[in-house]
Each structure stands twice: as C-alpha cells, then as structure tokens.
Amino acid sequence: MSTRISTHSLSPEAVRIIKSVLNLVMLALSVMLIAYISYNTFNDIPFLTNRRYINFQFWVCMVFIFDFFMELWLADNKWRFVKRRFLFLLLSVPWLNIVMHYHVALSPEMMYFARFIPLARGALAVAIVVSYVSSNKVTSVFVTYTVILVAFVYFGSLIFLEEEHGVNPSVPDYGAALWWAALDTTTLGSSIYPVTAAGKIVGGVLSSLGMIMFPLFTVFITNLVTTHIHKQKAEEAS
C-alpha cells in the first residue's frame, strides 16, 4: 500500500498549472542547452575556455535541481517520486563545474563527456514533456523512448565528430558523423570505423541502446495493429 502525504494545500488545478510551467521551462532550457553545445561543436570552440557556456550550463543545472525539489514538494507519494526521478537529480548536478572548481584531474575525453551530462538530463526532460501530449500510456512510453533514442543518436554524433574529425579520414564533416551514429544504432554498421577510444565507446553505447530500444518499437507497432483489429471487430459486431 502506497502512502500519500501531501505537504501543500494547493488545489489540483494549481498543481497542474505549476507542473505545466515547470515542464515548459525545462523544455526551453533543454533546447537551449542542446543548441549551445551544438554551436560550440560545429564551430570547434573549446568548451573549457568558453566561460559563458560553463556558466550557462551551471545555472541550467541549478534550475533542473530546483525543478526536482519543487515537483517533490508537489508530489503526493514522495518516496515513489524520488525512486522514479533520482536519476534526474544525479544528472542535474553540475559535475563539470565541480570538477573544474576543485581541479580534479580528468583526461580530455572524460572532461568532454562530462559536459554532456546536463544534456542527458535535458533529453530526459524533453522526453517527459513530449510524452505528456499523449493520454495513452503505451503511446506515451513509445514517444518517450523515441525522443531518448533520437537524442542519444544526436549527442553520439556530436561526440563522434569532436573526437574523430581530423584524425579519421572517414569523418570529414558532421554529415558523416550523423550517418555513422544512425547506422551504428540500428546495428547495420557502415563503412566508417572509429579510431579513437572515445569513438569506440560511443559506438558500443549506441549499439547497445539500439538493441534495447528497437524491440520496444516492435511491441508498440504490434500493440497498435492488435488494438486496431479488435476495434474493427467490435464495430462489425455492433
């Protein structure tokens, strides 16, 4: 039996409005963060020397953390909320700023990956907001996983471009990196092979993600077809 403990006296309508506003803010910040890191990558701007980016991602993380605790306050079942969203809290911590502030020694590859942590949080936030559009639970899950898959393919292509461009003749531009990421996720493979350690790691992550995600799409399509057939039979019987 779940325990529901409300620590606020807000009406359900007020809670709905607050959550909607928070979702819109999360969506806007996530898109801005993705655009910012894309701009830096495409223009070959070193993020560690870009103080504006470092400050921007720090404050985005602060807003993400505020959102977590705000929604925790609004949640009736707080323990269930923490269990479902604890990963969000971990991804909202400004790890990059902490590492830089305390001068933690990390390899350039690890530092590069660190700046994608808020982006992972942003991708999950986008997935949740988009899933709210659908009232059907199965469709909502499908949309959520689709957004996450597309986001990770995009982030993977950015990382692959950053690490492989200049050292891998098969990656002359972003188009080649995106093509590689898409084919690697579908496990079809391409004529492009990573030569850096970071590129190989991204390839393994994307392949694993694809093997996990695509069976879910098959289940969704099967469920959609089955539901349509049952609906048609019910209409014919009536």
Side-chain angles (χ1 to χ4, degrees):
M1 179 181 297
S2 61
T3 303
R4 292 178 176 271
I5 303 176
S6 178
T7 57
H8 60 81
S9 57
L10 300 176
S11 66
E13 180 63 18
V15 172
R16 186 189 66 80
I17 293 174
I18 292 174
K19 287 185 176 182
S20 297
V21 171
L22 289 174
N23 286 332
L24 288 176
V25 172
M26 293 301 99
L27 180 61
L29 288 177
S30 299
V31 171
M32 291 171 65
L33 193 60
I34 293 171
Y36 209 148
I37 198 170
S38 299
Y39 176 82
N40 285 350
T41 301
F42 293 148
N43 290 277
D44 199 23
I45 300 175
F47 72 96
L48 288 177
T49 61
N50 189 344
R51 181 53 57 181
R52 288 183 179 179
Y53 169 76
I54 298 297
N55 292 335
F56 176 73
Q57 71 97 37
F58 172 78
W59 288 111
V60 168
C61 287
M62 291 298 99
V63 176
F64 283 166
I65 292 174
F66 170 79
D67 170 71
F68 176 87
F69 285 104
M70 188 67 183
E71 293 206 47
L72 174 62
W73 178 65
L74 294 173
D76 292 326
N77 192 326
K78 301 188 185 305
W79 177 238
R80 182 182 179 187
F81 176 85
V82 171
K83 287 194 296 183
R84 294 178 59 185
R85 297 292 185 87
F86 185 68
L87 177 60
F88 279 60
L89 179 61
L90 290 180
L91 292 175
S92 300
V93 175
W95 299 109
L96 182 60
N97 298 80
I98 294 174
V99 167
M100 295 181 64
H101 179 75
Y102 290 101
H103 305 288
V104 179
L106 294 177
S107 66
E109 290 79 11
M110 292 180 67
M111 287 293 289
Y112 185 77
F113 278 111
R115 74 166 172 167
F116 278 87
I117 294 177
L119 281 183
R121 169 61 171 85
L124 292 175
V126 171
I128 286 180
V129 174
V130 172
S131 69
Y132 283 157
V133 176
S134 174
S135 58
N136 183 279
K137 186 175 182 180
V138 176
T139 303
S140 177
V141 171
F142 173 75
V143 171
T144 300
Y145 279 112
T146 300
V147 172
I148 292 174
L149 181 63
V150 171
F152 274 86
V153 168
Y154 180 64
F155 300 156
S157 66
L158 289 181
I159 296 174
F160 194 73
L161 175 67
E162 178 79 11
E163 295 299 317
E164 298 284 326
H165 181 64
V167 296
N168 189 341
S170 300
V171 188
D173 50 32
Y174 176 68
L178 181 60
W179 174 252
W180 170 85
L183 290 184
D184 198 71
T185 304
T186 59
T187 68
L188 294 176
S190 68
S191 58
I192 301 174
Y193 298 96
V195 297
T196 64
K200 293 175 182 178
I201 292 173
V202 172
V205 171
L206 291 180
S207 296
S208 301
L209 189 66
M211 288 188 290
I212 294 172
M213 293 293 193
F214 283 108
L216 297 175
F217 298 155
T218 304
V219 172
F220 171 77
I221 295 173
T222 302
N223 179 79
L224 195 66
V225 173
T226 303
T227 302
H228 179 69
I229 293 175
H230 288 167
K231 185 177 179 180
Q232 277 190 329
K233 289 182 179 179
E235 290 177 352
E236 292 173 358
S238 61

